Amino acid sequence: AQRVTQPEKLLSVFKGAPVELKCNYSYSGSPELFWYVQYSRQRLQLLLRHISRESIKGFTADLNKGETSFHLKKPFAQEEDSAMYYCALKETSGSRLTFGEGTQLTVNP
Amino acid sequence: AAGVIQSPRHLIKEKRETATLKCYPIPRHDTVYWYQQGPGQDPQFLISFYEKMQSDKGSIPDRFSAQQFSDYHSELNMSSLELGDSALYFCASSLVGIREPETQYFGPGTRLLVL
């Protein structure tokens, strides 16, 4: 069965510092990977999807099939990046999302 | 742009009562998903519908049922509520198409508290 692991429940950095939120997955096929963000008291919002290879709000994520990872990176963190981040996997044969446990990012001034 | 709408936003019920959660997808979206997020947990997939037919089923208890109506809105019916059903219930919608990767857009959630 597919599984998504985010090893860090909490991550705290200072403003302007680089940040990396780790995500590892296990899935026998070719998955689609996503990063969702949940700001305080707001809904889950799509941040990135690996298929698009885009940069949103300065965040990037590269799918590394060899390491089965999809880490989220930003070179210079901002206070407004403080939120809960979820890595999610979608199987090629279905539509359901399997989420990781989430990482609460806090960017300190 | 219109987003996914869920109602009610908050619901308080007692054990053994029933609850109905509603989800209104983004216009023209044909697929609806339900997720349950317990306190401090990640969202868990419950069930999904495509074009009014059940398309996938996850860890949804037998006490729960859901359907998608002709206007594409969906309802999650929960009976014989238990304390452990207290959670945030998310609905998401997507458009299954061939041009763009399918992306799920989430509603604000319904927070259910069972006393």
Side-chain angles (χ1 to χ4, degrees), chain B residues 86-103:
Chain B
S86 296
L88 188 58
Y89 290 84
F90 285 110
C91 171
S93 74
S94 70
L95 175 63
V96 176
I98 57 174
R99 292 188 178 179
E100 283 197 7
E102 182 192 342
T103 299

Side-chain angles (χ1 to χ4, degrees), chain A:
Chain A
Q2 69 279 9
R3 183 176 172 84
V4 179
T5 304
Q6 293 178 249
E8 301 139 329
K9 277 191 175 291
L10 302 170
L11 185 60
S12 183
V13 300
F14 285 104
K15 177 183 172 181
V19 63
E20 181 179 58
L21 287 78
K22 291 185 167 51
C23 171
N24 290 91
Y25 67 90
S26 62
Y27 178 60
S28 55
S30 293
E32 291 181 44
L33 275 299
F34 303 81
W35 276 99
Y36 279 84
V37 59
Q38 189 173 31
Y39 299 102
S40 179
R41 300 182 182 278
Q42 295 187 25
R43 68 186 68 195
L44 279 164
Q45 301 174 35
L46 177 67
L47 182 62
L48 283 177
R49 50 193 178 196
H50 92 268
I51 255 180
S52 302
R53 300 184 64 81
E54 57 204 342
S55 174
I56 302 293
K57 299 183 179 182
F59 284 98
T60 59
D62 290 318
L63 178 61
N64 186 323
K65 292 186 178 181
E67 296 183 358
T68 59
S69 68
F70 189 55
H71 303 327
L72 183 68
K73 302 176 185 179
K74 184 169 183 176
F76 307 104
Q78 303 299 314
E79 290 179 67
E80 56 265 30
D81 296 329
S82 296
M84 178 68 86
Y85 291 80
Y86 290 98
C87 182
L89 177 153
K90 186 170 87 70
E91 302 174 28
T92 47
S93 60
S95 294
R96 70 168 76 177
L97 290 174
T98 299
F99 287 89
E101 304 93 332
T103 297
Q104 178 68 49
L105 173 66
T106 301
V107 181
N108 299 298

Side-chain angles (χ1 to χ4, degrees), chain B residues 18-88:
Chain B
T18 61
T20 298
L21 281 55
K22 297 185 179 182
C23 170
Y24 298 87
I26 292 172
R28 292 187 296 280
H29 278 195
D30 51 20
T31 306
V32 168
Y33 310 81
W34 286 97
Y35 293 85
Q36 177 192 57
Q37 186 177 26
Q41 298 180 5
D42 53 291
Q44 295 288 322
F45 172 76
L46 292 177
I47 196 166
S48 64
F49 293 87
Y50 167 67
E51 284 290 344
K52 294 152 278 185
M53 299 288 289
Q54 181 180 307
S55 55
D56 196 3
K57 190 174 182 180
S59 50
I60 182 169
D62 292 340
R63 300 177 288 107
F64 294 5
S65 64
Q67 57 181 326
Q68 186 179 29
F69 294 85
S70 57
D71 64 351
Y72 292 96
H73 95 272
S74 178
E75 295 184 4
L76 178 65
N77 297 294
M78 310 159 72
S79 62
S80 303
L81 287 169
E82 301 174 357
L83 297 179
D85 296 329
S86 296
L88 188 58

